[in-house]
Amino acid sequence: MRIRNPGLKAGLAAVFVTGLVLVLVPLVALLFGKVNAPTADPQSLWASFSEPHLRALLIGSIALALGVAVGAVFLGVPIGLLLASSRGRAVRVFALLHLLPLCLPPYLAALGWAGLAGRAGSLGSMLGENAGTWMSGILYSKAGFVLVMTIALTPVVSLLTWAFARSIDASAIEAARLGRPPGSVLIQIVLPLCLPGIALGGLLVFVLTLGEVAVPQLLRVPVYASTVFSRLADLSFLPFEALARAWPLVFVAVAVAAACYLVERRGHSALGLRDAGATDWLQGTQRVGAAALLVVVATLGTLPIGSLVGRGIFEVGGGVTGMAGALDSMGNSLLYATVGATCMLLIAVPAGYLWSRRPRAGYVVSLPLLVGLTLPAVVLGLGLVIAWNRPATQWIYQGIGIVLLGLMARYLYPVVRTAKLGFDRLPGTWLDAARIHQGSLWRRLVRVILPASLPIVATAWTLGFLLVLRDMDTTIIFYPPGGECLPVRALTLEANAPPGLTAATAGVQVLVTAAALLLLSGSARLQRRFR
Amino acid sequence: MTARNLPAWLTVCALTLFVAGCEKKSLEVVIYTSVDQVFSEPVLKDFERETDIQVRMVFDTEETKSTGLLNRLLAESENPRADVFWSNDPVRSQVLVRRDLVVPYVPSTAADIPAAFKDAQGRWVGFSARARVILVNLKRVGAGPRPAGVEDLLDPRWRGQAAIANPAFGTTTMHLAALFDAWGDAKARKFLTGLRKNQVRVASSNGEVKRLVSTGEVAWGLTDTDDAAVAIQAGAPVEVIYPDTDGMGTLLMPTTAVLIRGGPHMAAGRKLLDYLASRETERKLAHAPCAQLPLRKEIPVPSHVRTADTFKVMKVDYSRIAAVMERLHPMLRDWAEGKPIETDNKDTQ
């Protein structure tokens, strides 16, 4: 429905300007800052296509990211539907275990896998040398990379599927079931209703995999993002070359986002008066299959974390020392995640609503934010340093401000888009009624739109919280001295600290995030309270 | 709390936490260090206790996992945040020296550091070194012959069984720069090409080389003494060999510290530099798990720590190596990305 509201254009313009300030200003600063006088060879803009090895690397990296995204969707959708429709204790336990990989940056999970499935890993020791050699061969390969990343990121898809399935009007499903078999209802009704969430989950997994550098370095898998990273790492300071190599990644992400938009349009908007509650979306063999998937994926996801936490607890000294040093970092992590997620939500609620009302314009104005999500963290991070480290902006650069700016530049897009998808589900009749009775946009947002979309809005906040809490590669570039967060501490300690110390730090991270996941489960209660 | 006032609650919550997170003012010094956190943090905490100056630290990661502090220092050079940069090798400090980003300062404690390890003009000072060593997995190698030098990486006997860290990063870059300087370009380029032919594994970092050797993924690898010491302390079945002691010698890499030009706390920075360059810091780092090699001869070391006078040290000029490294870096980066390199270039030596 097209709203004729004079403030709408101004609001959309504000979203666009926010994106420009957060993302494009750092890029311009990186390119034209006084730090260096980099040689800008325009031909390097096309190097990704003209140089055979770069072209092959780009295609290979896209294929790997697609593989991970498809795997995550294949596993995450049935699990998400199962979580949305079950209240059993066993399912809840496995749900928590399944979501645990969201606690850690994939790099730490990969380290956990290396401790398990390496040649001298725990599993290798148990199963014999040949098995260890075989597992090591798998782990340190493209297949291993896809496996590690898929298990680490599947919870993103299941979380979003769960949130969308929970917000479906049960009446629609019950009506459909009167005349159709369960399989048909699932494919023709339930999945289309969840499609926006599934598409967003797939997009997020794709983009996060495409930009990942640390895991492929560890598993010795050559990826395209490493070539961008190498232009701004150690002795290299080549901003133009880095951006010249980064833009194909952005282009690919925008293309995938456009594809997701087409998929999303095939979904239905169907928020109704009745909460779906624990409606059984899956029946019979579907349910058994999804439960089996949940058990397998949760077990695989928990194994590397268990390996890390186990080392932290059992290796003498590691746990205790790690805890002492990790407390400050834990405080920083929680501070960044809480304030970051809240700030993002404050922008995401109006921005998501405007995007929902003007979808095409919304996609355009949100492009800078998509660029921020897609750009390798090193490009964005160094740009932020150059852009904001000025005498006039020291009040931002010397404290938490720069961290918030960086995290918003990186993660605002998925939070806004999740909120937008929530608002998409509001029936037009509600909005018309609200416009007549509640007056201004702000009053409508606060009194009608927000309460009606609370589960998805809560999911948006939680998604932002989790993304920030596990962030490592963005924050590490500009965190204020003494202000390191837990994942950064785990990473900096990883160089030569006793494995137990790194593991204990990772263990604290797991505990903190597990508490956050309990917050998420509380969103269902909020839903019931407000609707 | 109701949905009606939820945005207000969120705003209040955000502002409260924002204010809580703002910087506290006190007498402080900001240090960026690429010396491993687990070794450098105790030293800096000791300084904090002894001087009442709060040390705000930024640590580096292993080489390939973040952009590195050097680039952060470059990016901040218009308006520096750091007072001191404590580098885990001598050449990254040289990069800052060459860009005129440091202030000369001769620490009052540095008088007895040998002249080869400090700048005559006081722009950098070296102390507490590491060496590039061969780490061998005893189970993989067995009773057979051991590698004795870096050129053994090309020996077909070790095909696919040896590892080095990515030469575009960290001390491996410096090691290769030293080899280019010692051998000349032609031989060094052939060496790089030979590494590929002999299927030498390229790990993400020296720590990863240590992990690969310790777990038996490879038979041996080139790494640094601190990585090797940690592997031994962890009980891994490994042995350390100081390479090329019959030939060009083993590369020694002192950690170095510089005072950043325009840093916000210069006076505290000088005090910290005095502290870092002191005999006490060298003693602490020799007794720490990193088992660093003191540069001053008379500092007592534990039995497992070797001093520079017990093996043949490769003769290098660190400022010259830094220049070679900057010249070579694009080629090393290309090599690491899998591009072939030309081997018929004229010897530049």
Side-chain angles (χ1 to χ4, degrees):
Chain A
M1 188 181 68
R2 194 178 178 86
I3 306 291
R4 291 185 191 84
N5 187 320
L8 214 56
K9 280 184 183 173
L12 284 166
V15 174
F16 188 61
V17 170
T18 304
L20 289 182
V21 170
L22 287 173
V23 179
L24 294 191
V25 167
L27 296 188
V28 171
L30 183 64
L31 269 181
F32 302 107
K34 289 180 188 171
V35 175
N36 255 341
T39 49
D41 176 11
Q43 286 202 334
S44 62
L45 280 171
W46 310 109
S48 310
F49 304 101
S50 60
E51 291 186 22
H53 86 282
L54 280 180
R55 194 169 55 225
L57 209 53
L58 180 60
I59 292 168
S61 299
I62 292 169
L64 285 173
L66 276 177
V68 174
V70 169
V73 168
F74 178 76
L75 297 172
V77 170
I79 290 173
L81 291 175
L82 180 72
L83 299 186
S85 62
S86 297
R87 285 182 174 166
R89 194 165 289 170
V91 172
R92 280 186 188 178
V93 170
F94 275 104
L96 190 65
L97 293 178
H98 168 61
L99 294 176
L100 278 182
L102 272 182
C103 305
L104 290 175
Y107 175 73
L108 290 179
L111 263 186
W113 276 115
L116 274 175
R119 196 186 279 251
S122 320
L123 287 176
S125 305
M126 275 194 303
L127 301 173
E129 195 179 333
N130 288 341
T133 307
W134 177 77
M135 282 189 296
S136 166
I138 299 280
L139 180 65
Y140 290 98
S141 70
K142 288 179 181 172
F145 171 72
V146 170
L147 192 70
V148 168
M149 291 302 291
T150 303
I151 290 167
L153 295 175
T154 293
V156 173
V157 178
S158 39
L159 180 70
L160 286 164
T161 308
W162 171 83
F164 276 77
R166 290 285 295 188
S167 65
I168 294 173
D169 187 341
S171 316
I173 306 303
E174 286 164 7
R177 279 193 180 149
L178 292 175
R180 286 174 178 270
S184 170
V185 173
L186 178 70
I187 292 167
Q188 296 183 351
I189 310 290
V190 177
L191 283 180
L193 286 171
C194 298
L195 211 50
I198 296 168
L200 176 58
L203 172 68
L204 267 178
V205 171
F206 176 82
V207 167
L208 292 174
T209 307
L210 198 61
E212 180 66 35
V213 173
V215 175
Q217 292 273 17
L218 179 71
L219 301 180
R220 293 194 294 281
V221 174
V223 294
Y224 185 82
S226 297
T227 73
V228 182
F229 171 81
S230 71
R231 264 58 197 167
L232 285 172
D234 207 18
L235 290 175
S236 301
F237 200 94
L238 305 164
F240 187 83
E241 272 195 41
L243 278 172
R245 292 194 173 195
W247 78 261
L249 293 178
V250 175
F251 179 78
V252 169
V254 171
V256 173
C260 287
Y261 170 62
L262 295 177
V263 171
E264 208 177 284
R265 286 183 61 177
R266 295 175 68 87
H268 310 313
S269 295
L271 184 75
L273 293 172
R274 269 188 59 202
D275 177 2
T279 304
D280 285 339
W281 309 127
L282 304 169
Q283 294 187 335
T285 51
Q286 297 168 351
R287 198 172 178 77
V288 173
L293 269 184
L294 173 62
V295 171
V296 171
V297 176
T299 307
L300 285 175
T302 314
L303 272 176
I305 295 170
S307 155
L308 282 174
V309 174
R311 289 181 96 170
I313 292 170
F314 293 115
E315 287 187 14
V316 181
V320 178
T321 324
M323 281 299 286
L327 284 179
D328 282 348
S329 304
M330 186 176 77
N332 291 331
S333 275
L334 287 172
L335 181 74
Y336 299 159
T338 312
V339 180
T342 306
C343 291
M344 284 195 277
L345 193 68
L346 287 172
I347 298 174
V349 167
Y353 176 74
L354 295 167
W355 187 352
S356 170
R357 295 303 99 196
R358 288 281 176 86
R360 285 183 189 166
Y363 276 97
V364 174
V365 300
S366 65
L367 269 179
L369 297 178
L370 179 59
V371 172
L373 176 69
T374 314
L375 273 178
V378 58
V379 176
L380 190 62
L382 283 176
L384 281 158
V385 172
I386 297 170
W388 295 99
N389 181 29
R390 295 167 189 277
T393 52
Q394 283 304 296
W395 60 280
I396 291 175
Y397 191 74
Q398 289 195 5
I400 188 178
I402 184 67
V403 178
L404 292 181
L405 279 175
L407 292 170
M408 284 200 287
R410 187 128 173 89
Y411 298 120
L412 188 53
Y413 181 83
V415 178
V416 171
R417 186 146 176 189
T418 306
K420 178 255 178 196
L421 293 175
F423 296 137
D424 279 350
R425 304 171 81 89
L426 292 174
T429 46
W430 286 31
L431 297 175
D432 289 341
R435 202 161 71 245
I436 292 165
H437 293 289
Q438 298 290 347
S440 74
L441 177 63
W442 177 249
R443 283 164 66 94
R444 270 180 281 148
L445 262 177
V446 171
R447 295 192 174 187
V448 179
I449 297 164
L450 199 54
S453 313
L454 207 59
I456 301 284
V457 171
T459 303
W461 186 89
T462 311
L463 184 66
F465 182 85
L466 289 174
L467 286 171
V468 173
L469 201 60
R470 72 204 285 277
D471 177 85
M472 182 177 75
D473 48 356
T474 318
T475 319
I476 198 168
I477 296 167
F478 46 69
Y479 72 87
E484 64 186 2
C485 55
L486 263 178
V488 168
R489 182 176 175 82
L491 191 68
T492 52
L493 275 176
E494 196 248 330
N496 275 329
L501 193 59
T502 312
T505 311
V508 175
Q509 171 80 12
V510 171
L511 289 176
V512 169
T513 318
L517 292 175
L518 290 176
L519 259 181
L520 172 68
S521 68
S523 72
R525 289 181 195 162
L526 274 175
Q527 177 189 10
R528 280 194 291 279
R529 182 170 171 184
F530 285 117
R531 293 182 67 196
Chain B
M1 188 177 76
T2 65
R4 232 176 251 188
N5 56 21
L6 185 62
W9 275 106
L10 292 176
T11 311
V12 169
C13 173
L15 285 175
T16 308
L17 289 169
F18 182 86
V19 170
C22 284
E23 194 180 27
K24 290 171 190 166
K25 300 284 178 191
S26 68
L27 188 57
E28 63 181 28
V29 61
V30 177
I31 182 169
Y32 289 7
T33 178
S34 56
V35 175
D36 293 346
Q37 178 174 5
V38 68
F39 308 135
S40 57
E41 195 172 25
V43 173
L44 297 170
K45 290 282 181 194
D46 284 349
F47 172 78
E48 222 171 32
R49 270 191 295 273
E50 291 170 26
T51 62
D52 281 337
I53 297 174
Q54 188 191 354
V55 184
R56 301 183 69 206
M57 312 160 205
V58 174
F59 299 101
D60 215 346
T61 64
E62 288 210 287
E63 294 82 11
T64 51
K65 293 165 198 124
S66 90
T67 184
L69 287 178
L70 186 65
N71 271 340
R72 180 164 173 175
L73 282 162
L74 293 178
E76 289 179 345
S77 59
E78 289 291 302
N79 195 28
R81 287 284 292 129
D83 301 298
V84 173
F85 176 49
W86 180 14
S87 170
N88 64 357
D89 69 42
V91 290
R92 280 161 186 82
S93 293
Q94 297 284 346
V95 172
L96 298 180
V97 169
R98 289 159 65 85
R99 295 181 186 223
D100 198 26
L101 297 178
V102 305
V103 182
Y105 174 69
V106 179
S108 57
T109 51
D112 53 350
I113 291 175
F117 301 115
K118 61 186 178 189
D119 182 39
Q121 297 169 54
R123 293 170 299 181
W124 61 274
V125 60
F127 50 94
S128 199
R130 296 179 298 164
R132 288 289 288 174
V133 291
I134 290 172
L135 189 66
V136 179
N137 184 298
L138 296 171
K139 285 186 182 170
R140 284 289 298 265
V141 173
R146 310 273 199 265
V150 291
E151 289 185 81
D152 281 333
L153 286 166
L154 306 184
D155 189 335
R157 183 176 38 178
W158 302 114
R159 190 179 179 86
Q161 293 190 67
I164 59 165
N166 187 333
F169 299 95
T171 50
T172 314
T173 323
M174 181 186 166
H175 198 176
L176 280 166
L179 294 179
F180 268 76
D181 195 43
W183 290 341
D185 272 21
K187 182 178 175 184
R189 281 171 185 267
K190 275 184 189 161
F191 175 73
L192 275 178
T193 309
L195 293 179
R196 281 250 181 272
K197 278 188 190 157
N198 213 31
Q199 296 176 6
V200 172
R201 283 211 207 177
V202 179
S204 61
S205 63
N206 288 309
E208 183 59 13
V209 170
K210 170 197 72 182
R211 199 165 14 243
L212 290 173
V213 176
S214 299
T215 57
E217 297 279 349
V218 295
W220 63 278
L222 272 179
T223 187
D224 303 332
T225 40
D226 57 336
D227 298 292
V230 168
I232 290 168
Q233 285 153 27
V238 294
E239 181 182 271
V240 176
I241 295 170
Y242 282 70
D244 299 306
T245 46
D246 295 332
M248 63 183 167
T250 298
L251 181 64
L252 194 66
M253 306 169 296
T255 64
T256 50
V258 297
L259 199 61
I260 301 295
R261 184 180 294 284
H265 317 95
M266 294 292 269
R270 286 191 191 97
K271 281 187 183 173
L272 179 55
L273 219 57
D274 289 343
Y275 187 85
L276 290 177
S278 68
R279 298 169 62 85
E280 182 57 14
T281 299
E282 280 215 299
R283 191 196 61 77
K284 280 179 190 167
L285 288 171
H287 286 79
C290 53
Q292 308 256 95
L293 290 64
L295 299 177
R296 296 166 172 101
K297 282 182 185 170
E298 56 282 11
I299 289 182
V301 294
S303 57
H304 64 277
V305 176
R306 293 183 71 169
T307 50
D309 54 350
T310 61
F311 59 92
K312 185 177 179 186
V313 175
M314 190 176 182
K315 284 182 183 161
V316 290
D317 174 343
Y318 295 118
S319 57
R320 187 180 149 99
I321 296 288
V324 174
M325 211 161 99
E326 287 204 271
R327 174 174 66 82
L328 285 180
H329 196 249
M331 187 265 288
L332 293 177
R333 205 176 46 215
D334 287 347
W335 183 88
E337 285 175 7
K339 276 189 189 171
I341 55 168
E342 292 175 16
T343 53
D344 56 349
N345 276 25
K346 274 173 80 176
D347 196 328
T348 55
Q349 213 184 18

